[in-house]
Structure formats: structure tokens, C-alpha cells
Amino acid sequence: DGDDGVLLAEALLSCLETVVDRELTGFAAGNNLGDFVKAIVVSKLFHMIDPALNTYTDDTIYVGVILEDFDSVNNNRFTVNHKEVTSDNTDMADGLSGVLFTRGRKDNDCGKIMMWAWAAMRVMDFLETREEVDLDCVTVCGHSRLGKTALLAAATDERFAFAHSNDSGCCGAAITRGKIGEQPSDICRVFPYWFCENYLKYSDNVDLLPFDQHWLIASIAPRFVSVASAIDDKWADPDSEFLSCVAAS
């Protein structure tokens, strides 16, 4: 509100790139989004799906749209490099986290996964300015840590009609209780900055959690969710991801 809101907007504009890679049929060239305050975190892009290799990378969040007039699968995607939003490390002074936590971070303040999800929502803000986009058919998806991000983005923003996570595993699509492979104690030790600090209190006491990951998937209903993993990826534990989907259903 007031001056704080202006300072926040100015700080975000100064620390985050606002370049959109528009591989959409009929989109004009250009990269100045200064007039779109809501789109300030639409970052310079790298494709999550490599068209040549048909592979995923965990460097990007993917927001796909179905256009009224498009000529190939490669012409309907926006991607955000999450590291341009805030770094994938413990540095809470970097990028968006540096703007949010100038006065310190509380136990229930968000971690970086939520910040990356927020960036995906800002992409959606931008899509709402485009007449070419069918806003009823927007998908958010990601791989690994960004699979977790995609689920969270869809759970907290009902404008996404569909969410897809690939290999999101622990703290993503996989149910926590009884899970094999990666455990909350593992992920919280290596990536504590992904989560609010309150969650870390449960890393060695998962049975005390007041929820489990099927709540995350169920919160996207009645919209659509797709969960995928490599069958031999025991670290992510596709069986527990399946159980989570069953419980959410």
C-alpha cells in the first residue's frame, strides 16, 4: 500500500528482467513490459522442453497456452527461468527474496518455491493482456523442483486450468508418510530455503504434519492435474506419487 507498494514495484523492476520470449503465432516483436506492472517478473526465457531432444530441464517453469490460431506445439509456450526470479540457493538477499525480506524473514514467510510459483502467476497476468490467448486452457508445468512449483502455482491461482508435474517427488506430488527414497529430512537439509521455516520443524517428524501432499493435489480440483515420473526413479518414488493422486481423488 502507498509508498511501500511503489518502492516494491520499483525494486522488482530494477532487480528482475522483464523480457518475454514470445514464440506465439501473431505475436509482435519487442521486449518492453515497463507498462505492465503486473508482468514485472516475466523473465528472459529458456525452454523447459527441448524440441530436439524432447527432454525436460529443471531450469524453467513452463506456462503453456492454447491459442485460437497456432501452427505447431512450439508456438504456444512461455517459460520462466526461476533463477532470474531469485537464486536457487540460501541467499535470501537475491532477486525477489531480497525485496521481500529486507526486514528479516518470519517462520511462516514463504520459501523460494513459492516465489517461483508467484512468478508463474505473473506470466498469467501478462497472458490476460493478450487477445490471442484462450484463458480457459492455460497450463503450468515443471520438472523436479519446478514440478513442485507448478503444483503450488496451480493450487494458489485458479486461473490455471491444468497443472503438470514431472518427477516432483518429495514435498511435491509424492505422499510423505511411508515414502521411500528422498525424505523431508533429506530435502530440508540440502534445500531448506525452498520452504517456510515452519515446515523444517517437521523434517524429522513427518507423522506430526497436519497434512500430506495429496492435500496439495486435491486443492487444484476441480481443475486438472497430471503427475508423471520415471518408473525407476526411486528417489522421487512414483508409487507414492500415485498413492497421493489416489488419495486426492
Side-chain angles (χ1 to χ4, degrees):
D1 294 336
D3 293 340
D4 286 343
V6 172
L7 291 173
L8 176 62
E10 290 177 347
L12 287 168
L13 284 169
S14 67
C15 73
L16 299 174
E17 292 186 339
T18 55
V19 180
V20 174
D21 178 11
R22 303 174 189 167
E23 293 196 2
L24 295 170
T25 302
F27 269 35
N31 59 11
N32 182 10
L33 295 182
D35 294 333
F36 295 98
V37 176
K38 288 185 178 180
I40 52 182
V41 194
V42 180
S43 302
K44 194 172 184 178
L45 306 184
F46 297 84
H47 292 129
M48 188 192 78
I49 297 178
D50 185 325
L53 301 176
N54 194 29
T55 57
Y56 287 93
T57 171
D58 58 4
D59 285 338
T60 52
I61 307 164
Y62 171 84
V63 179
V65 299
I66 296 177
L67 305 179
E68 294 179 0
D69 178 20
F70 68 98
D71 59 9
S72 80
V73 71
N74 295 327
N75 288 337
N76 63 336
R77 62 189 176 198
F78 285 73
T79 51
V80 179
N81 186 309
H82 66 299
K83 295 177 184 177
E84 293 186 1
V85 178
T86 184
S87 60
D88 192 358
N89 56 39
T90 57
D91 183 3
M92 284 292 176
D94 176 78
L96 180 57
S97 58
V99 175
L100 295 177
F101 303 130
T102 56
R103 301 172 184 174
R105 187 173 174 230
K106 300 176 183 177
D107 286 350
N108 62 346
D109 281 336
C110 71
K112 292 197 173 183
I113 284 179
M114 184 65 238
M115 297 179 213
W116 300 329
W118 184 82
M121 298 177 208
R122 304 291 69 79
V123 174
M124 187 66 190
D125 289 344
F126 174 72
L127 295 182
E128 289 184 317
T129 71
R130 307 303 304 188
E131 294 182 358
E132 301 93 328
V133 174
D134 182 348
L135 295 175
D136 292 327
C137 298
V138 180
T139 301
V140 58
C141 83
H143 170 69
S144 191
R145 66 203 64 192
L146 298 181
K148 309 179 206 298
T149 300
L151 293 173
L152 185 56
T156 51
D157 193 331
E158 294 183 350
R159 295 175 298 173
F160 293 113
F162 190 98
H164 172 73
S165 73
N166 188 72
D167 275 327
S168 60
C170 183
C171 302
I175 206 161
T176 302
R177 290 165 172 84
K179 184 185 182 302
I180 65 171
E182 187 175 31
Q183 300 295 314
S185 58
D186 299 313
I187 202 169
C188 289
R189 182 181 67 257
V190 181
F191 305 108
Y193 55 89
W194 285 357
F195 313 103
C196 74
E197 293 187 1
N198 272 338
Y199 182 73
L200 307 183
K201 300 174 184 178
Y202 297 95
S203 62
D204 291 311
N205 301 286
V206 295
D207 287 337
L208 297 180
L209 278 169
F211 57 85
D212 212 318
Q213 293 308 112
H214 63 294
W215 286 34
L216 175 62
I217 296 174
S219 66
I220 302 172
R223 291 164 293 137
F224 300 103
V225 183
S226 170
V227 172
S229 273
I231 192 169
D232 291 326
D233 186 356
K234 303 305 181 185
W235 191 243
D237 190 1
D239 289 342
S240 288
E241 291 185 333
F242 176 76
L243 290 175
S244 193
C245 292
V246 172
S249 299

